[in-house]
Every structure is written in structure tokens, then in C-alpha cells.
């Protein structure tokens, strides 16, 4: 007979026990000594690599280089921007690029999420395929689409010409001439890079919206159906309100990333033709690195800081919103219900008017394309609804399946076509690529591109990327685990403030940091060294890793640690023996995230490294292009070899990534 013995409850302090705390403990918190050890490494890195460089950038912006001397010029760099046409164009390009990209990503991401949400079979497989554009490195995305858009060797013009769509676009005035020069025509270059950003960003919106749809109570839809609500009414009054928090956070986070985009645009157009696609980040890079005017470049980034700060503050407030009953309504009491309903439409109307003023050559074309997709989706839904109302369930299921199937096939085709083109191009010979023979299936298949690729420095770049990625991941993982546990479990003064600081630095764009960090690595003599990248990469990996693990550690029951403490284990011992094994999904998610981000990083490696022997894969691949000579076959082979490790990591770690992000990011 087995006797079950209950574990003794931990001793509770007596009412006057708090007086046993020392004065220092009452001032700094009960666990301040242990917290200092746990938080110290992260605090040093965040302060030294993010906060101090931003402050340093403010001082740099008030200086100007005259020959070998750097002199103080006060606000001259800022006042010079008032009449700087290049800066004005860069700011306008950033706004236009961000606005259109977010509109399309929200629309297509929502449509894709709704289709996946209603799938009964194969949902995980389709979701994994749709995630591929977001997973693969940006350098692969840029070179693949650059190859597709090539007016001579690319397949976009050929397919549009053979199908008759291209001449029809020219006849309607959507393009000025045919065949189109997508990346060298000022009227088409911006829409082209927006399209590529949308292609890469749709998976992020789809996955987050799909998670939001799963969180909506299905009973609300069932009750609405009983009351006779149409699918459109259920979508407007149940689905959209339920998705609103997720949509706002997703759009804000994506807007910060898109507004500060550098690598995709640089790799595709280098800001051209002219300045048609150059964002403000590229203007800052040109002034600081190419013209060696660090003060002028720092001024460009700092002028945009208030705009980014507004988005960051809103995002932080939403991610840390109070979930107590009635707390969400505290900020709304100043508005009437009618004003709250009208406010979103007023904002949308204002945004449309600003876009129409800023980009008259794009707005009506974008509206036409977007309208066509939305109308097609609405028509399919309407047909299914009408047939269902008439009781023709078989026909409704047939049409619904056919309509959803066609839409899903179209989405998968849009996602997979560039990746397929990259793969088959890697196995073509140079003669096949130039002669445009066997476009869709190499005949014969050849490995000549891979052989030619490794005759250069590609192997060295691969090893450099592995070393930097693994080293930066190890640093981020150790520091984030220690700091995340301290912020989740230990009691010390300033923990809330430090948590907010971590979140703020998490959404801080690299565009604000690359100039002061360039000064830092130059000052300590780490230019053209892999150590400069190992030092810089925690600026974007460590804050997110810490934030995610804070939430994940909070999801682990504290009773397990208390039992270990009662049995005589130290706090650090409980952390090693109890918490870390249970946090394996979160730790693997963090490792996967930091490793792939370090693997794909371009801006810091592009600025810090100039010698071929120390370049990483993204920068090394960019250097393979000499003027107008683009080795498409070798770039396709390199893109395939760069993408395979990332895809495999996400494939094997998808379960841990989903579990880690759900427990961490949501509960955090």
C-alpha cells in the first residue's frame, strides 16, 4: 500500500518578520544581490551597446569633420536638413514605402489567415510553406526578385508578355512602356520593392492573425449564426473586433521594421534609379559612411527619432496594457461612443489623402490592384453564403471548396514561384541562363554554378557567418536567460523600469545605432574584424530574447521552485535544476530566433566589414556583383546554400518556436 504524503508548506513569515530585512534590502529589494549578478551582464550590454551609443549619437550630430579635425557646429547639421532635397526625398520614400507595404500586408495576411483558419486538413503544412518567405534571408529575397525583374533574363516580363497581361497593363497606363524595366524605371522601382517587401512580410501577418483567430470564442460566431447574422456581419462585428489588439500590435511592429528598412532596398536598387527608392536610412548611410560626415548622418537618424518614438511608445503601452476589468476603458472616457467608432475611419481617410498627395503615380494603381483582390475574395464568400442560405449544402461546399482552393493555390503560387525560380536557376549552366532555354526546367541539370562558387571566397564567408552567428547566439542566450529569470522571479527595486527598457530597446531600429556603433568599433580598433559583429549583434538579439524569456519564466509554476528551496536548494541551484529544464522550449525558440537573425544580418556587417576575408554571407554575396555584371547562376546557387540551414532549423524547431513564442510573447 502506497502512502501519499503531502509536501510541507513553506514557512510563512511572521507579521513582524519584515523588520528582519536589512535597511539595504528594504531600499533595494529582498533579492538585490542575486539580481545584480543575474541582470548585470544584460545591463552592461544594453547600456554599453544601445543606450550609451544613442546618447553619443546626439553629441556626434553636433559635430562636423573638417579634414582631419572634428569641430563642434551646434545645430548646423539639423538646420542644413531644412533645405536638403535628398533628405526630403528620403523621408517621403520611407513613408510611402511603409504605408503601401503595410496596407497590402494587412489585407493579404488577413485573407490568408482566414483561409487557413477554416482549413480542416493540412493546415500545419500550408502554414509552414507560407512561412518560407519570412524565414529565408533578405539577401536571398532581394537577389531572387532582382533576377525575376531583370528586363532581359527575368521571367516576369516573359510570363506577362506570353499571357497578354503585360501589353494590357501598358494599354491601361499602369506601365509606361512594355517590356517594363521594373528596377530602372523611376515610376516602377518603388512599386517593385514594395511588392517584394509584401511578399516577405505576408507570412508574419498571417501567422499572428491566425493566432488571433484561434483566440476568438467560437461560441460568439455560433450565437450570431443562430440570430441570422450573415458571414459579412460576423466578420465585421465579431472577427475584426476580436483581432483588433493583435492587428494593432502587428501593424505597429511591422511599421517600425519597414520604416527603417535598408538591406532589401539597397540590395535591389541601391536607392535608385536616382533617388526614387532611397529611404532616409540610406541618406544617413550616404552622409556618414560614404561622405565621412558622421555628424550629418547622425542628425538624419535623430531627426526621425520622434516619429519612431511615437510608434514605440504606443506599441509598448499596448504590449503592457492592463488586463484588469475596466482598465481598457480608462483611456476612452474622454471620447463618446460615436467618436470612438468614427475615429478609425477619420484616420484611414487622412492616411489616404496623405498618400494621394505624396505618391500620385502609385496610389490609384495600388488601389486598383488591392480592390481587385478584395472584390474576388468577397465574391467567393458571397456565393458560398447565398448557396448555404438556400439550403444547397452540397453546392455550397463544392463552390466553397473550389473558391477557397483557387485562392489558396494562388497564394501558394505567389509564395513558391520565386523560390522555385531560385532553385532551378542554381542548376542551370551559364549558356542556359543567357540563351533563356529551358526556363522552367533545366536540361540538363548541372552543378557548374556551385563549383564556380567555391572557387572564390564563398567558403570563407560561410565559415565567418557560422562563427559570428554561434558566438552572438551564445552571448544572447546566456545573458537573456539570467536577466529573464531575474525579472520574472526576483524582488528588487527597478525591475519594472528595466523590463520597460528591455522592451524599448527591443523595438529600437538598427538605423539609429549603426553610426555610433561604427564610431565605437573604430575607436577600439575592431574594424574589419568578426569581433565587431559579435559585439554589435546583441543590440537586436538580446532585448527580444530577454523579453520573450521573461514571459516564459512567468508561465512556469513558482511552486516547483519553492519546493526545491524548502528542500535546501539555493536560488541559483533551483534556476539550474528546475527552471532551465522546464524552459527548454523557450530557450530553443530564443536560440533559433537569434541564430537566424545573426545569420541574415546585413546593415552592421555592410558598414563594419570591408575586407573580403572577413565578410559574412549577405555582404559577400552583394560584393559578387561588379557594376552591371550580375552572375545570376552563382547568386542563385549561393542563395540556395544560404537558405537551406535556416529552413532546416525552422523545420526541426517549428514546434519549439511556436510553444516558446506563445508562452513567452503572449504572456509577457
Amino acid at each position: 500500500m502506497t502512502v501519499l504524503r503531502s509536501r510541507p508548506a513553506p514557512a510563512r513569515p511572521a507579521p513582524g518578520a519584515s523588520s528582519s530585512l536589512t535597511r539595504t534590502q528594504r531600499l533595494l529589494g529582498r533579492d538585490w544581490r542575486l539580481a545584480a549578478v543575474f541582470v548585470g551582464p544584460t545591463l552592461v550590454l544594453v547600456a554599453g551597446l544601445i543606450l550609451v551609443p544613442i546618447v553619443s549619437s546626439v553629441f556626434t550630430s553636433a559635430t562636423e569633420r573638417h579634414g582631419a579635425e572634428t569641430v563642434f557646429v551646434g545645430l548646423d547639421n539639423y538646420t542644413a536638413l531644412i533645405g536638403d532635397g535628398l533628405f526630403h526625398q528620403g523621408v517621403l520614400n520611407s513613408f510611402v514605402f511603409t504605408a503601401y507595404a503595410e496596407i497590402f500586408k494587412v489585407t493579404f495576411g488577413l485573407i490568408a489567415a482566414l483561409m487557413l483558419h477554416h482549413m480542416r486538413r493540412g493546415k500545419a503544412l500550408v502554414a509552414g510553406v507560407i512561412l518560407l518567405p519570412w524565414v529565408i534571408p533578405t539577401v536571398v529575397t532581394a537577389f531572387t526578385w532582382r533576377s525575376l525583374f531583370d528586363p532581359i533574363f527575368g521571367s516576369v516580363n516573359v510570363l506577362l508578355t506570353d499571357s497578354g497581361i503585360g501589353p494590357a497593363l501598358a494599354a491601361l497606363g499602369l506601365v509606361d512602356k512594355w517590356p517594363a524595366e521594373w528596377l530602372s524605371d523611376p515610376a516602377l522601382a518603388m512599386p517593385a520593392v514594395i511588392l517584394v517587401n509584401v511578399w516577405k512580410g505576408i507570412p508574419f501577418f498571417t501567422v499572428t492573425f491566425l493566432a488571433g483567430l484561434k483566440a476568438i470564442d467560437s461560441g460568439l460566431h455560433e450565437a450570431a449564426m443562430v440570430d441570422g447574422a450573415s458571414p459579412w456581419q460576423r466578420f465585421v462585428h465579431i472577427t475584426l473586433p476580436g483581432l483588433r489588439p493583435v492587428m494593432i500590435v502587428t501593424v505597429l511592429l511591422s511599421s517600425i521594421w519597414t520604416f527603417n528598412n535598408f538591406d532589401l532596398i539597397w540590395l535591389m536598387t541601391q536607392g535608385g534609379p536616382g533617388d526614387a527608392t532611397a529611404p532616409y536610412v540610406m541618406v544617413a548611410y550616404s552622409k556618414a559612411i560614404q561622405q565621412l560626415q558622421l555628424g550629418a548622418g547622425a542628425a538624419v537618424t535623430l531627426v526621425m527619432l520622434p516619429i519612431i518614438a511615437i510608434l514605440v511608445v504606443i506599441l509598448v503601452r499596448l504590449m503592457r496594457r492592463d488586463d484588469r476589468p475596466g482598465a481598457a476603458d480608462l483611456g476612452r472616457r474622454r471620447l463618446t461612443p460615436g467618436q470612438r467608432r468614427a475615429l478609425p475611419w477619420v484616420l484611414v481617410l487622412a492616411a489616404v489623402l496623405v498618400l494621394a498627395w505624396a505618391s500620385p503615380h502609385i496610389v490609384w494603381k495600388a488601389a486598383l490592384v488591392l480592390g481587385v483582390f478584395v472584390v474576388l475574395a468577397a465574391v467567393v464568400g458571397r456565393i458560398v453564403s447565398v448557396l448555404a442560405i438556400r439550403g444547397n449544402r452540397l453546392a455550397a461546399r463544392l463552390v466553397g471548396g473550389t473558391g477557397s482552393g483557387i485562392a489558396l493555390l494562388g497564394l501558394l503560387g505567389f509564395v513558391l514561384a520565386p523560390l522555385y525560380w531560385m532553385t532551378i536557376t542554381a542548376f542551370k549552366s551559364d549558356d542556359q541562363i543567357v540563351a533563356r532555354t529551358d526556363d522552367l526546367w533545366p536540361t540538363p541539370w548541372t552543378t557548374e554554378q556551385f563549383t564556380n562558387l567555391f572557387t572564390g571566397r564563398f567558403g570563407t564567408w560561410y565559415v565567418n557567418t557560422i562563427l559570428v552567428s554561434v558566438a552572438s547566439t551564445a552571448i544572447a542566450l546566456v545573458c537573456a536567460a539570467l536577466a529573464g529569470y531575474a525579472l520574472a522571479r526576483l524582488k528588487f527595486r527597478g525591475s519594472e523600469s528595466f523590463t520597460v527598457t528591455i522592451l524599448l530597446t527591443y523595438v529600437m531600429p538598427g538605423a539609429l545605432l549603426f553610426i555610433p556603433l561604427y564610431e565605437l568599433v573604430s575607436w577600439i580598433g575592431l574594424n574589419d574584424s568578426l569581433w565587431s559583429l559579435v559585439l554589435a549583434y546583441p543590440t537586436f538579439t538580446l532585448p527580444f530574447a530577454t523579453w520573450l524569456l521573461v514571459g516564459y519564466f512567468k508561465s512556469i509554476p513558482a511552486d516547483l521552485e519553492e519546493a526545491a528551496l524548502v528542500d535546501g536548494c539555493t536560488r541559483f541551484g533551483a534556476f539550474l535544476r528546475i527552471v532551465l529544464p522546464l524552459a527548454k522550449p523557450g530557450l530553443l525558440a530564443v536560440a533559433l530566433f537569434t541564430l537566424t537573425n545573426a545569420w541574415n544580418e546585413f546593415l552592421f556587417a555592410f558598414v563594419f566589414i570591408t575586407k573580403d576575408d572577413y565578410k559574412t554571407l549577405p555582404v559577400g554575396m552583394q560584393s559578387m556583383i561588379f557594376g552591371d555584371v550580375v552572375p545570376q547562376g552563382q547568386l542563385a546557387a549561393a542563395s540556395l546554400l544560404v537558405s537551406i540551414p535556416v529552413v532546416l532549423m525552422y523545420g526541426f524547431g517549428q514546434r519549439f518556436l511556436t510553444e516558446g513564442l506563445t508562452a513567452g510573447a503572449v504572456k509577457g
Side-chain angles (χ1 to χ4, degrees), residues 63 127 152 196 226 310 343 415 453 523 571 578 597 601 618 641:
T63 65
I152 299 176
V196 178
V226 171
I310 292 173
L343 183 59
V415 167
L453 188 65
W523 179 67
R571 175 71 77 169
I578 306 296
N597 274 270
E601 200 280 327
L641 293 176

Side-chain angles (χ1 to χ4, degrees), residues 20-33:
S20 63
L21 297 176
T22 65
R23 183 177 180 181
T24 304
Q25 287 178 319
R26 289 196 296 270
L27 180 63
L28 300 179
R30 184 189 63 196
D31 304 316
W32 72 272
R33 287 189 179 89

Side-chain angles (χ1 to χ4, degrees), residues 44-58 60 288-289 294 298 301 505 508-529 531-541 543 601 603-605 607-609:
V44 170
L45 289 176
V46 168
L49 298 178
I50 300 178
L51 301 181
V52 172
I54 290 178
V55 175
S56 173
S57 184
V58 175
T60 301
I289 307 301
L294 295 177
T301 60
T505 54
M508 194 66 66
L512 297 176
L513 298 173
F514 79 93
I515 295 177
L517 286 178
Y518 174 75
E519 289 185 288
L520 176 62
V521 297
S522 299
W523 179 67
I524 60 180
L526 289 181
N527 278 48
D528 285 319
S529 167
W531 286 109
S532 65
L533 303 183
V534 175
L535 180 68
Y537 283 1
T539 59
F540 60 85
T541 58
E601 200 280 327
L603 179 58
F604 290 149
V607 173
F608 297 167
I609 306 296

Side-chain angles (χ1 to χ4, degrees), residues 131-143:
L131 197 62
L132 286 176
W134 187 61
V135 169
I136 64 172
T138 301
V139 64
V140 174
T141 300
F143 287 136

